Amino acid sequence: MPGEWKRLTGGLLRAVYPGRCPVCDGIVREWGEKICAECLPELKLLTPPWCMCCGRKVQEGEEYCGECGEKRHSFDRGRALYEYDSSAGAIYRFKYAGRREYADFFAEQMEEYLGEFIRSIRPDGLVPIPLHRARQVSRGYNQAALLAESLGGRMKIPVYSGMLIRARKTVPQKKLNAPERQNNLKKAFIMGRNDVKLKTIVVIDDIFTTGATIDEAARTLRDAGAEKVCFVTLACGAGAR
């Protein structure tokens, strides 16, 4: 009965407030769908070969990208769903234009294409990258938390949105070069919960570029006792965050 009620109310809400397509941002043409059928091919899945550490695209025969071949990360490994260029507009609207409804579509895609990777890790929980409180109040929501909640619900994995807290209001990473990004995020996160001990964690974020954000989050989680920290993101740029 609860499941039937949820489907009924969800159908009524879609009828009154039809969802917008993540690609064209228009009302989805096919009733009950989350994306226009003709728009779906515009989102390019990140296909192999991938870097065995960060999941960034590499050349055939390469095991690691140039950065991961030279640097030791705090995270174990990760994967991204889309090529950045094909999904940049959708992710921008998801983050900054109030398109919260995109979260369900993105989570559905993550489960379909990254679900096997996530299950292979056997995570104790999903931990979204937090926003600073002032930025979240201004924006009204945290896109990574919305994504984690939807994905966790689909995959039956607990979500710990308060596990990490962004203690400093850092400069937006997109405005900085790689060394500045690392310095910008030093001690940016603190633990928000010490009553839950997770050994294996999958961190959720929107974009992976240089990995500075994921690295600092993973370091904080490891210092608190986590033994394995992996990540999944919506997109991965050639030299993204």
Side-chain angles (χ1 to χ4, degrees), residues 171-216:
V171 176
Q173 291 286 84
K174 62 185 177 182
K175 297 181 179 180
L176 307 174
N177 60 33
E180 289 171 338
R181 292 178 186 211
Q182 293 287 348
N183 291 328
N184 184 47
L185 285 159
K186 283 182 179 177
K187 298 183 179 179
F189 302 112
I190 59 173
M191 295 298 293
R193 295 187 61 176
N194 291 311
D195 58 323
V196 178
K197 300 298 181 183
L198 306 179
K199 295 300 183 184
T200 304
I201 295 170
V202 172
V203 171
I204 308 294
D205 202 7
D206 47 19
I207 303 170
F208 179 93
T209 46
T210 64
T213 302
I214 301 291
D215 254 333
E216 187 61 21

Side-chain angles (χ1 to χ4, degrees), residues 6-224:
K6 187 175 181 181
R7 284 192 293 273
L8 177 61
T9 54
L12 289 172
L13 283 172
R14 284 193 297 274
V16 179
Y17 304 105
R20 290 186 173 273
C21 171
V23 173
C24 71
D25 201 39
I27 301 300
V28 178
R29 293 171 178 82
E30 295 80 14
W31 191 91
E33 297 298 325
K34 301 180 181 72
I35 189 171
C36 301
E38 61 269 36
C39 290
L40 182 58
E42 297 297 316
L43 293 172
K44 306 299 182 185
L45 295 169
L46 195 62
T47 56
W50 308 294
C51 172
M52 292 176 64
C53 181
C54 73
R56 189 180 287 133
K57 190 85 172 177
V58 295
Q59 298 297 316
E60 198 69 46
E62 292 181 336
E63 292 188 344
Y64 297 98
C65 67
E67 185 172 328
C68 292
E70 299 176 355
K71 177 183 176 181
R72 183 176 179 83
H73 291 287
S74 296
F75 60 80
D76 290 274
R77 56 194 177 116
R79 288 275 304 280
L81 181 63
Y82 300 124
E83 295 178 5
Y84 176 74
D85 288 346
S86 75
S87 58
I91 294 173
Y92 181 88
R93 290 188 295 275
F94 180 43
K95 292 175 68 169
Y96 302 116
R99 297 294 187 245
R100 305 184 192 201
E101 65 264 39
Y102 290 6
D104 286 339
F105 169 74
F106 288 144
E108 186 178 273
Q109 291 266 289
M110 274 190 162
E111 182 188 23
E112 181 174 356
Y113 296 106
L114 300 181
E116 184 177 346
F117 171 76
I118 294 169
R119 291 186 185 94
S120 72
I121 297 165
R122 298 184 179 180
D124 298 316
L126 307 180
V127 175
I129 292 292
L131 292 176
H132 185 270
R133 185 175 179 277
R135 190 160 286 149
Q136 181 157 339
V137 168
S138 172
R139 193 176 300 177
Y141 61 96
N142 175 7
Q143 73 283 348
L146 291 179
L147 184 59
E149 292 290 348
S150 187
L151 181 62
R154 299 183 69 88
M155 298 189 69
K156 305 297 189 290
I157 302 173
V159 177
Y160 297 90
S161 293
M163 182 68 69
L164 284 176
I165 292 176
R166 194 177 288 248
R168 294 194 296 108
K169 189 178 180 182
T170 54
V171 176
Q173 291 286 84
K174 62 185 177 182
K175 297 181 179 180
L176 307 174
N177 60 33
E180 289 171 338
R181 292 178 186 211
Q182 293 287 348
N183 291 328
N184 184 47
L185 285 159
K186 283 182 179 177
K187 298 183 179 179
F189 302 112
I190 59 173
M191 295 298 293
R193 295 187 61 176
N194 291 311
D195 58 323
V196 178
K197 300 298 181 183
L198 306 179
K199 295 300 183 184
T200 304
I201 295 170
V202 172
V203 171
I204 308 294
D205 202 7
D206 47 19
I207 303 170
F208 179 93
T209 46
T210 64
T213 302
I214 301 291
D215 254 333
E216 187 61 21
R219 185 197 63 75
T220 304
L221 292 166
R222 285 188 182 279
D223 287 349

